[in-house]
Amino acid sequence: MVLLGLVIGASVAIALALGPHGALVEAPSPATGLMLGGNPSSIPCSRIEEVARGLDLGAPLLPRLATKCAISGSATGVALTSSTWVLQLLGWVLGTLTIAGLTGIVRKT
């Protein structure tokens, strides 16, 4: 359980670290298809939106949070995406092992 919390914390930390460097930007408006401020890479997300996006990316079983933050196509956005893939895989493995341990499916012989 603690390891799963560390994975989620690492995902939030990565989002907070890479967000201000262009990894997370405001998502396009559904009505216009354009960024709300006009320039797709000029509107950074707030810190709370970065935390919400980090939780979305790293927590395997939590419901998705409503956020207007999107991952950009920049190099830092690609780094954020690839690092969260690893963290998501690790989160699913640790979550599965936690549930298996709590239910007693895996037994020592």
Side-chain angles (χ1 to χ4, degrees):
M1 214 56 172
V2 173
L3 293 176
L4 188 57
L6 289 175
V7 169
I8 293 171
S11 180
V12 170
I14 290 171
L16 285 172
L18 296 179
H21 299 288
L24 295 171
V25 293
E26 208 172 271
S29 169
T32 63
L34 300 173
M35 298 305 241
L36 298 177
N39 188 351
S41 61
S42 67
I43 305 172
C45 296
S46 69
R47 296 303 262 180
I48 196 72
E49 290 171 332
E50 290 173 1
V51 169
R53 191 66 175 150
L55 286 172
D56 279 349
L57 295 172
L61 297 176
L62 290 179
R64 296 293 174 212
L65 302 170
T67 179
K68 61 182 179 181
C69 262
I71 298 175
S72 70
S74 67
T76 53
V78 171
L80 176 64
T81 300
S82 58
S83 64
T84 55
W85 287 341
V86 172
L87 289 172
Q88 283 178 353
L89 179 64
L90 188 58
W92 275 106
V93 167
L94 291 173
T96 303
L97 289 175
T98 300
I99 291 170
L102 290 174
T103 59
I105 292 173
V106 179
R107 299 192 189 276
K108 293 182 182 179
T109 56

